[in-house]
């Protein structure tokens, strides 16, 4: 009986360690099965160990029970490898930021080592402090709950269609002024999803640090191409709302704006960054300055949305010369949006932009790594503080 109980965590662990890549239906199923072990290895391991200990405490212990114990040991060993890969994200992110800093400083410059930015209480955080994993959060609060210090205003609308253009706004209760605006755009293959389902921890972290953090949706469509360019127009319309209606919500009209996105949302974020002021995507508000202070892409898709729109819907078809500072973070094992697409965009950006382009590949990370507060994702959040702090206004 014990081996049967351990089959689900063992299979999940195996798929976390070695994901299926083709055919796509099998890869998608493998991703879903492997996700618990991939993002919460300590919790899965604790469950497997508890089941095993409970059975071995009963007498008599049978050969089947011993076989189950062996399977549990192998599973826990595999989960230890998964956890080690999560912790390796710290080094990958530091190297990415150091590489960008050296490139920005010019030949012969050394990477800055003294600080990574501001902590949630406004204190300067050293690099060694940033590398400390908050294990209490990882173990006891994997799902990011809204902190008491964050105020939420939900189901706001930036357009006439309150369902398609709704968003949630998070601000710090103790913030005296807004340092900037962080917009997060959800994924879902352009056809599904909604606000405040992804990157919640990043949104809350920015709200606690004085940012107005927005989680938004956009007009969804049966296919990515069918919705283009409306979803891009939607995000630019949200920027217009911030500039015109934001002051009524405590957001200065001139506040710097950083747009972030996950998966499909990352595509929209990059397109927003690369088409600032383009009248084709700002119907009715062509003269509005939609320049961003920065853009962030998490496990994004960065290719064309269809053959009919390939010349305008592919981010690399747009000049990079005026791109703002950009951070792209991708998993090496992503089966939904393979890492080669992120590398392609980074080459394009670095070939034309004079602003920093930070690119990090997270060892062993899959699609959707921003759902829970894993050690990996908390490292990503700490790194993104280093990216966004210089882009915001002084507190």
């Amino acid at each position: 009986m014990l081996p049967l109980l351990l089959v689900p965590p063992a299979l999940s662990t195996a798929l976390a360690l070695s994901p299926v890549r083709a055919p796509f239906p099998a890869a998608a199923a493998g991703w879903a099965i492997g996700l618990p072990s991939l993002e919460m290895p300590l919790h899965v391991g604790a469950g497997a160990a508890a089941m095993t200990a409970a059975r071995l405490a009963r007498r008599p212990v049978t050969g089947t029970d011993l076989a189950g114990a062996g399977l549990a040991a192998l599973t826990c060993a595999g989960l230890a490898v998964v956890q080690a890969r999560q912790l390796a994200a710290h080094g990958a992110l530091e190297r990415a930021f150091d590489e960008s800093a050296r490139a920005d400083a010019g030949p012969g410059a050394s990477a800055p080592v003294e600080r990574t930015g501001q902590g949630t209480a406004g204190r300067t955080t050293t690099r060694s402090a940033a590398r400390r994993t908050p294990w209490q959060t990882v173990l006891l609060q994997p799902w990011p709950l809204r902190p008491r210090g964050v105020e939420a205003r939900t189901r706001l609308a930036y357009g006439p269609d309150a369902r398609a253009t709704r968003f949630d706004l998070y601000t710090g209760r103790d913030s005296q002024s807004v340092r900037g605006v962080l917009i997060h755009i959800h994924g879902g293959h352009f056809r599904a999803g909604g606000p405040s389902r992804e990157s919640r921890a990043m949104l809350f972290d920015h709200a606690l640090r004085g940012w107005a953090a927005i989680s938004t949706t956009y007009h969804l469509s049966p296919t990515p191409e069918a919705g283009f360019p409306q979803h891009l127009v939607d995000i630019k319309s949200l920027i217009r709302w911030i500039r015109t209606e934001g002051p009524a919500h405590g957001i200065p009209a001139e506040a710097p704006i950083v747009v972030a996105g996950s998966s499909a949302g990352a595509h929209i974020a990059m397109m927003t960054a690369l088409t600032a002021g383009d009248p084709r995507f700002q119907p009715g508000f062509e003269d509005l300055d939609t320049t961003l202070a920065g853009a962030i892409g998490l496990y994004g898709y960065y290719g064309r949305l269809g053959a009919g729109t390939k010349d305008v819907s592919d981010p690399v078809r747009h000049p990079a010369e005026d791109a703002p500072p950009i951070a792209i973070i991708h998993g090496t094992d992503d089966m939904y949006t393979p890492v080669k697409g992120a590398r392609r965009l980074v080459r394009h950006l670095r070939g034309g932009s004079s602003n920093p382009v930070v690119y990090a590949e997270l060892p062993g990370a899959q699609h959707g790594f921003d759902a829970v507060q894993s050690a990996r994702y908390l490292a990503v959040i700490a790194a993104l503080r280093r990216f966004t702090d210089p882009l915001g206004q002084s507190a």
Side-chain angles (χ1 to χ4, degrees), residues 22-23 128 130 166 186 193 203 231 326 372:
S128 60
R166 69 187 188 281
H186 66 79
L203 291 162
H231 46 246
I326 287 177
V372 301

Side-chain angles (χ1 to χ4, degrees), residues 10-20 26 29-35 38 366:
L11 179 60
S12 178
T13 302
L15 290 169
L17 289 169
S18 183
V20 177
W31 169 78
I33 296 170
L35 197 59
L38 193 67
Q366 258 274 20

Side-chain angles (χ1 to χ4, degrees), residues 49 53 80 175 177 184 209 225 243 245 272 275 280 349:
S175 299
S177 60
H184 179 264
R209 294 189 296 112
E225 188 172 34
R243 297 304 186 207
E245 304 296 329
T272 305
T275 62
R280 293 175 296 175
L349 293 169

